[in-house]
Amino acid sequence: MREYEQVITIGRLARYAGVTIKTIRVYHAKGLLPEPERDSSGYRRYTARHAIDLIKIRTLADAGVPLARIRELRAAPDADLRQALHDADAELTARIRSLRRTQKRLRRLAAGDTDLLPPGVGAHLDRLREFGFSRRWVELQADLWVLVFATHPETAAELLHDQAQSVADPALRQIFLDYDRAHDLDPHDPFIEELAGRMADATRDRYDLDNLPGQDTDSDIPALIQGTVNASSPAWQRLDALVRQRL
């Protein structure tokens, strides 16, 4: 080492490069940053060259370049290093674009934008509002349809069509409206028993009980959805139990 070359401690090197001392030691262990010799007191003394190399390593690591690849590039020709930097820049640009798209989706969701919902769900929810369903019901339906479309895209559209047809029928719509309004009732209110009977009768009239829509025996989603619905209301939980008894 030339006598006029300025030397610094590992702590100061870490501050200059914006990393921790632990990170520097990791880079030493992985062969990314050569360890300097120790002075007479047993301390490692770093130079400006170490600081420059460390900043380059940190920049590549922050850009997402794997440490193993950085070690390879340390001994690679300048052209390979430039290509690696170009690739890292392109990947970072793609990540930024993806994050911006996600940010826009989150902002639109926070604003209640139904355009983000699966095809046809937004229009169905609008009809529910027009028919007088509660805001709680509409929001619950929105969340559940997102789950259905994400997990069962092959049958979700058919299930949505079936529910839309049911709500369009005045008699069935009234059952759904009564179900919505039963949310805050005492589970043992006589209305719950009466409504359960109407729900069971309507189900038998409309469907083959051995082939109910959405009741895929190989899927946990129907039970998950019903559990989510039941969890929000003791009255709904009892309704579900009563209907199952009657079917």
Side-chain angles (χ1 to χ4, degrees):
M1 181 184 299
R2 294 187 294 272
E3 293 183 359
Y4 60 82
E5 188 170 26
Q6 183 70 32
V7 293
I8 55 177
T9 64
I10 189 172
R12 184 168 296 179
L13 175 67
R15 290 196 297 274
Y16 287 159
V19 299
T20 65
I21 292 175
K22 181 179 179 180
T23 297
I24 294 176
R25 288 173 175 156
V26 168
Y27 290 168
H28 285 330
K30 292 184 176 295
L32 277 77
L33 185 69
E35 293 189 52
E37 296 180 359
R38 297 179 183 270
D39 62 15
S40 57
S41 299
Y43 292 105
R44 294 190 181 93
R45 295 298 179 178
Y46 296 86
T47 67
R49 180 75 268 163
H50 290 103
I52 293 169
D53 289 345
L54 180 57
I55 290 171
K56 288 181 178 179
I57 294 168
R58 186 209 67 193
T59 301
L60 288 169
D62 288 348
V65 179
L67 295 185
R69 178 60 175 153
I70 294 175
R71 184 173 59 248
E72 294 173 3
L73 291 171
R74 293 271 300 148
D78 288 345
D80 289 351
L81 177 60
R82 286 194 297 271
Q83 182 60 47
L85 291 171
H86 175 76
D87 293 343
D89 178 69
E91 181 179 347
L92 187 59
T93 300
R95 286 163 54 192
I96 290 171
R97 288 174 180 167
S98 177
L99 288 171
R100 285 175 176 167
R101 287 194 297 269
T102 300
Q103 183 183 53
K104 288 180 181 178
R105 289 174 61 86
L106 290 173
R107 288 176 175 175
R108 290 167 61 190
L109 277 172
D113 189 342
T114 57
D115 288 344
L116 294 179
L117 295 169
V121 176
H124 176 61
L125 298 179
D126 288 341
R127 283 192 293 272
L128 294 181
R129 295 186 186 95
E130 293 170 2
F131 286 141
F133 285 89
S134 68
R135 178 178 179 180
R136 174 192 59 242
W137 178 270
V138 174
E139 290 179 349
L140 176 62
Q141 291 294 309
D143 288 342
L144 294 180
W145 281 115
V146 168
L147 176 61
V148 171
F149 271 85
T151 57
H152 290 70
E154 69 285 354
T155 59
E158 181 181 349
L159 293 173
L160 178 63
H161 178 68
D162 178 75
Q163 189 179 99
Q165 282 188 323
S166 297
V167 175
D169 180 287
L172 294 177
R173 179 167 67 246
Q174 188 59 53
I175 292 176
F176 280 110
L177 284 167
D178 289 342
Y179 186 98
D180 177 16
R181 292 162 187 162
H183 181 276
D184 297 322
L185 293 181
D186 184 292
H188 298 288
D189 189 302
F191 181 74
I192 299 296
E193 289 269 1
E194 186 271 336
L195 177 56
R198 283 192 284 139
M199 291 173 63
D201 290 342
T203 301
R204 278 193 295 267
D205 291 343
R206 184 172 175 80
Y207 303 111
D208 173 2
L209 297 186
D210 293 328
N211 189 28
L212 291 173
Q215 300 303 308
D216 183 350
T217 56
D218 294 329
S219 173
D220 296 327
I221 297 302
L224 179 63
I225 289 175
Q226 191 61 55
T228 301
V229 172
N230 291 347
S232 68
S233 166
W236 283 357
Q237 185 175 3
R238 184 156 187 262
L239 266 171
D240 179 47
L242 289 172
V243 170
R244 291 177 185 273
Q245 291 174 9
R246 287 162 168 75
L247 291 177

